[in-house]
Amino acid sequence: PGTPVEVRKQGSRWVAPGIADNGAGIAALLALARALQESKLRTHATLLFVANVGEEGEGNLRGMQALFSDPALRRRVRAAIAIDGSSHERLTAKALGSRRFHVTVRGPGGHSWADFGLPNPIQALARAIHRLAEVAIPPRPRTIFNIGQIEGGTSVNAIPFQASMKVDIRSEEEPEIERLERALRRIVAEAVAEENAVADTKRGALTVEVKVIGQRPAGELPASARIIEVFGAVDQHLGIKTQMQRSSTDANIPISLGIEAVAVGGGGRSGASHSLQEWYDPSGRERALKRILLAVALLAGVEEE
């Protein structure tokens, strides 16, 4: 809140927070709807245009979660295309799974001099972080473990009453996510127990809470999926070299439900994503719009006059 989002023109680039991710996707969605309306193109299947929220970070794909929570709608959906950012070559048909945690350690707190010896939540977290860094991460399936945020304490001369960290676990396969979650919970519990064991707990021992703040399902379409074949045919027609990718996008939700879905770019070029200097160059975006429009026409079928 309060972040200035005025758009600035710098040469061929437009600069503003979110201008490409996902301003470019929203613009492409609207452009496609307008093209279909003005051309009076009619499809056999119903087309549903959706602008949703919560795709990024702790949003946890809540827009798509809400959309596909409707059983009646879920049964009718045959394919889904998420338009995300720029590029006209990307085709994301592999859903990268993730699980995110907010770990909070609480204690009595006190004065650094007068109450020295009381259990310290920051020290407990430090023990845990040190051990988490030593957990084995396999090269395959590709898996990551990241501590992206730590908070705690009120003053340099106060024993903190609370400390917390946010942890991101991602993997190409769900079993690895589950293995690392078990390791996280075990190590944090051990670290808190060890801090309590060496501290004076007469005024209270440390407690820990591990809260799941994000969960994105993994999944992967087979190479024979119709939506992949359709985009392959369209790309060949337009002279596009398809770049198959794995990522965490709005397509994760339908893919995890067994619905054919992909994420594609809305065209153009972009950079500095997720920053105040994010930029978008719309040059050549027509190629991406043609790509999506043709794929939609093939997937939905076109009624002849």
Side-chain angles (χ1 to χ4, degrees), residues 93-224:
K94 300 177 181 180
L96 177 63
S98 69
R99 209 166 294 173
R100 291 160 178 171
F101 304 87
H102 191 189
V103 179
T104 304
V105 180
R106 299 182 178 89
H111 192 280
S112 63
W113 173 260
D115 298 312
F116 178 73
L118 293 181
N120 189 314
I122 289 180
Q123 291 177 186
L125 274 189
R127 293 173 187 267
I129 291 170
H130 176 72
R131 293 183 183 177
L132 287 169
E134 297 176 340
V135 173
I137 304 296
R140 292 287 182 276
R142 188 182 175 195
T143 303
I144 68 98
F145 188 103
N146 183 63
I147 299 166
Q149 188 176 354
I150 55 174
E151 296 177 325
T154 56
S155 172
V156 67
N157 64 332
I159 299 170
F161 62 88
Q162 181 173 301
S164 65
M165 65 178 176
K166 290 183 178 179
V167 182
D168 181 24
I169 298 174
R170 301 190 188 202
S171 181
E172 295 175 342
E173 296 183 5
E174 286 288 339
E176 276 302 307
I177 295 177
E178 293 168 2
R179 179 183 72 86
L180 289 177
E181 178 181 355
R182 290 194 297 271
L184 169 67
R185 292 180 180 276
R186 173 180 54 79
I187 288 171
V188 167
E190 290 174 352
V192 168
E194 289 174 8
E195 177 66 15
N196 282 330
V198 297
D200 180 359
T201 58
K202 292 179 181 178
R203 283 176 47 187
L206 297 182
T207 61
V208 61
E209 177 187 23
V210 181
K211 182 179 179 182
V212 178
I213 57 174
Q215 188 162 343
R216 301 182 178 215
E220 184 174 331
L221 294 185
S224 60

Side-chain angles (χ1 to χ4, degrees), residues 87-93 235 240-246 263 291:
S87 173
H88 64 267
E89 298 178 327
R90 173 167 49 87
L91 186 67
T92 302
D235 288 352
I240 294 173
K241 184 178 180 181
T242 309
Q243 295 181 358
M244 298 295 294
Q245 292 186 1
R246 182 188 298 273
R291 181 195 196 204

Side-chain angles (χ1 to χ4, degrees), residues 191-295:
V192 168
E194 289 174 8
E195 177 66 15
N196 282 330
V198 297
D200 180 359
T201 58
K202 292 179 181 178
R203 283 176 47 187
L206 297 182
T207 61
V208 61
E209 177 187 23
V210 181
K211 182 179 179 182
V212 178
I213 57 174
Q215 188 162 343
R216 301 182 178 215
E220 184 174 331
L221 294 185
S224 60
R226 181 167 179 255
I227 196 169
I228 294 179
E229 292 180 345
V230 164
F231 269 95
V234 169
D235 288 352
Q236 186 175 14
H237 172 70
L238 295 176
I240 294 173
K241 184 178 180 181
T242 309
Q243 295 181 358
M244 298 295 294
Q245 292 186 1
R246 182 188 298 273
S247 187
S248 179
T249 69
D250 277 331
N252 279 46
I253 299 302
I255 288 175
S256 70
L257 295 171
I259 298 169
E260 292 194 1
V262 296
V264 299
R269 298 183 303 114
S270 63
S273 294
H274 297 193
S275 78
L276 297 178
Q277 302 304 316
E278 183 171 330
W279 60 267
Y280 177 66
D281 183 347
S283 302
R285 69 189 289 263
E286 297 84 0
R287 202 176 189 191
L289 297 180
K290 290 178 182 179
R291 181 195 196 204
I292 301 170
L293 180 60
L294 287 172

Side-chain angles (χ1 to χ4, degrees), residues 23-39:
I26 296 289
L29 185 77
L30 296 174
L32 289 163
R34 181 177 179 178
L36 286 163
Q37 184 179 49
E38 293 188 357
S39 67

